[in-house]
Amino acid sequence: MEDHVRNPSLTGARIVLGVTGSIAAYKAVTLLRALVREGAVIDVAMTRSATKFVTPLTFEVLSGRPVTADLFQAHQEMKHLSLPEHADAILVAPATANFLAKAALGLGDDLLSTMLLTGRCPLVCAPAMDGGMWSHPTVVAHVEALRARGALIVDPEEGPLASGRIGQGRMAGEDRILDAVRAVLTPKRDWQGQRILLSAGPTQEPIDPVRYLSNRSSGKMGYAIAEAARKRGAEVILVSGPTSLPAPSGVEVIPVETAEEMLKQLSNRLSWSTVVVMAAAVADFRPRQVAPQKLKKQGRRSATLELEQTTDILSTISGQRTTQLVIGFAAETHDLLPHARAKLASKGLDLIVANDVTRPKAGFGSDFNAATLIDRDGHTTDIPLKSKRELADDILDAVRRLLVDSPTRRHGDLRKRR
Ligand code: CTP
């Protein structure tokens, strides 16, 4: 029997299949059949223009469920709320340039676009359009914005287009779309068996009982790595400077304030770990003396604070390690790569995540970041602006490759190689 699949890969998954007004809408019919064959329960939501290409009845018969196309009709049942609330993923295939624009901008003028605003589940889009449209700067910007927010965009393929031209615009093949849906529904467990010791957030170095020296770090990047690593099966201990972030679920958080406390807590747990990631923004200096009482102005117009250097935690940990991989960050405002390479070498790291903290929309406090990863062999990977949660997965992918490469390469060996 054609529809029989011995091991359906999407059993029980609830997916909203959004169909928008492209000639490729007819391909959504066979896509729907493939999704159903894989065991998924599909609710189809069509845009008005999609119904010009394929009738809702076709999808209704094949999905065995009512198809919704009209926000106002569907509103009585609050479908724009109930469908995404119960969905494990929203897949929009084909996704037109118009739909991508609405999704990127947050416009909600029909059922499907409104569902993106109410839903919190993963979004997969398979765009289909003429090649010239796909490469138009506006479409490129909208796709980039969606990716930055975590959407998985399955790039269209090269080939003859409905217009008769050749170009990149054909909706991706069924297998690539199914792989993308599986990827968002089945988190990788490739970090199982690894133990990550992670630092995040700023440190606070006291001046007196009411004042301290600190920096603008929000801790978001480190917390995103903790969450991603936990989801991928790692055990995670997070030594965190003061932040306003909730503890990621399943992660042991050890709160600290100063660089000295952070060093102590990390050193104590070093032998437990297999990977150390130093995402904290450690204060480089602290007041030489901490006043036991609040410092008073006492009529002075100016004051001088004498500072001393804090310990470089990363270099210390890197010197103490046995088999652990050690990953550092480089927060720079200029000459990003030369500074990052110098830190990679001087601190004896396996990988450094270099980021330009002056870049608009990225860095301290933002939910987004862009970075360049440089590994111990000099391989450099540029990661464009994306959510810190997505960047966390990219960093974990890169570290995972190093773990597979040389699980027990020692610090001494690393220094020799450079
Ligand atoms: N780091 C550390 N201990 C410190 C200072 C920094 O462990 N006292 C770590 C950071 O957590 C980061 C890396 O070292 O992973 C680089 O930090 P960064 O602030 O970019 O550079 P610094 O080493 O402080 O050097 P500089 O201030 O000259 O840029």
Side-chain angles (χ1 to χ4, degrees):
M1 205 168 110
E2 188 209 329
D3 279 359
H4 176 77
V5 168
R6 222 174 269 149
N7 291 311
S9 58
L10 296 170
T11 306
R14 293 199 57 166
I15 298 171
V16 172
L17 172 61
V19 184
T20 69
S22 151
I23 181 66
Y26 78 91
K27 294 184 184 170
V29 175
T30 47
L31 181 62
L32 167 63
R33 291 189 59 154
L35 290 163
V36 170
R37 203 161 56 218
E38 292 293 334
V41 178
I42 308 292
D43 285 293
V44 177
M46 303 179 75
T47 62
R48 193 187 297 262
S49 38
T51 62
K52 308 268 187 214
F53 291 94
V54 185
T55 66
L57 184 63
T58 310
F59 290 110
E60 215 155 273
V61 170
L62 292 173
S63 67
R65 301 169 69 80
V67 169
T68 32
D70 188 340
L71 175 63
F72 299 101
Q73 192 188 346
H75 200 74
Q76 287 169 339
E77 295 172 60
M78 296 286 183
K79 283 250 162 116
H80 65 298
L81 298 179
S82 62
L83 279 183
E85 195 179 318
H86 297 115
D88 298 307
I90 297 177
L91 163 65
V92 183
T96 58
N98 182 55
F99 171 78
L100 295 172
K102 288 201 294 185
L105 297 173
L107 304 181
D109 64 349
D110 62 9
L111 181 67
L112 185 57
S113 50
T114 310
M115 281 200 300
L116 297 193
L117 298 174
T118 58
R120 292 291 175 266
C121 58
L123 171 66
V124 179
C125 292
M129 63 195 75
D130 198 62
M133 290 169 78
W134 175 245
S135 59
H136 191 283
T138 310
V139 176
V140 171
H142 289 147
V143 167
E144 201 177 298
L146 288 169
R147 283 200 164 117
R149 290 211 295 272
L152 210 164
I153 310 289
V154 192
D155 284 351
E157 293 169 3
E158 292 266 346
L161 304 168
S163 59
R165 298 179 208 164
I166 307 276
Q168 187 184 4
R170 293 162 63 93
M171 186 168 91
E174 206 169 279
D175 287 346
R176 285 181 58 217
I177 298 177
L178 286 179
D179 280 350
V181 172
R182 284 186 203 106
V184 298
L185 293 179
T186 334
K188 287 190 268 184
R189 302 287 293 172
D190 57 346
W191 273 82
Q192 198 130 28
Q194 297 295 334
R195 294 180 297 277
I196 303 192
L197 183 58
L198 182 70
S199 72
T203 66
Q204 292 179 351
E205 310 299 331
I207 298 169
D208 66 16
V210 295
R211 304 180 180 96
Y212 55 78
L213 281 182
S214 191
N215 58 64
R216 295 180 192 280
S217 168
S218 64
K220 286 180 180 171
M221 192 64 243
Y223 276 61
I225 296 174
E227 188 192 313
R230 186 74 199 105
K231 280 230 165 87
R232 288 167 68 164
E235 287 176 67
V236 183
I237 295 181
L238 175 59
V239 177
S240 174
T243 74
S244 55
L245 302 172
S249 90
V251 171
E252 184 186 345
V253 179
I254 298 167
V256 294
E257 285 180 0
T258 64
E260 273 325 285
E261 287 167 25
M262 186 172 274
L263 172 63
K264 189 167 154 231
Q265 296 297 344
L266 289 169
S267 291
N268 285 347
R269 287 163 183 82
L270 179 60
S271 61
W272 165 87
S273 68
T274 56
V275 174
V276 181
V277 180
M278 194 72 201
V282 185
D284 290 322
F285 292 94
R286 65 171 167 232
R288 187 178 287 283
Q289 286 191 330
V290 181
Q293 291 181 324
K294 186 183 172 197
L295 292 171
K296 306 302 279 178
K297 288 190 284 296
Q298 290 171 335
R300 283 180 299 202
R301 300 291 298 270
S302 67
T304 306
L305 201 56
E306 202 185 337
L307 304 177
E308 63 183 9
Q309 244 190 52
T310 57
T311 311
D312 189 316
I313 302 175
L314 192 51
S315 296
T316 309
I317 293 283
S318 170
Q320 292 171 346
R321 66 152 142 195
T322 51
T323 55
Q324 293 84 357
L325 290 189
V326 178
I327 318 304
F329 276 68
E332 307 292 346
T333 56
H334 58 284
D335 297 332
L336 178 67
L337 296 187
H339 281 142
R341 285 197 186 98
K343 283 176 192 174
L344 178 82
S346 68
K347 300 192 189 212
L349 308 179
D350 294 287
L351 183 108
I352 195 152
V353 181
N355 58 330
D356 176 351
V357 289
T358 61
R359 190 188 155 122
K361 295 195 225 158
F364 291 142
S366 167
D367 289 325
F368 295 87
N369 211 353
T372 302
L373 310 187
I374 309 172
D375 75 15
R376 60 197 176 199
D377 298 319
H379 297 136
T380 300
T381 316
D382 278 323
I383 304 182
L385 190 69
K386 53 174 68 177
S387 68
K388 286 186 173 171
R389 181 62 181 74
E390 275 186 298
L391 178 59
D393 271 321
D394 290 348
I395 295 168
L396 290 175
D397 286 345
V399 179
R400 187 83 195 90
R401 281 195 290 276
L402 294 178
L403 274 171
V404 173
D405 254 17
S406 58
T408 56
R409 201 196 280 181
R410 296 169 68 96
H411 179 51
D413 303 337
L414 294 172
R415 284 251 158 103
K416 256 182 261 150
R417 286 172 58 88
R418 289 207 184 89

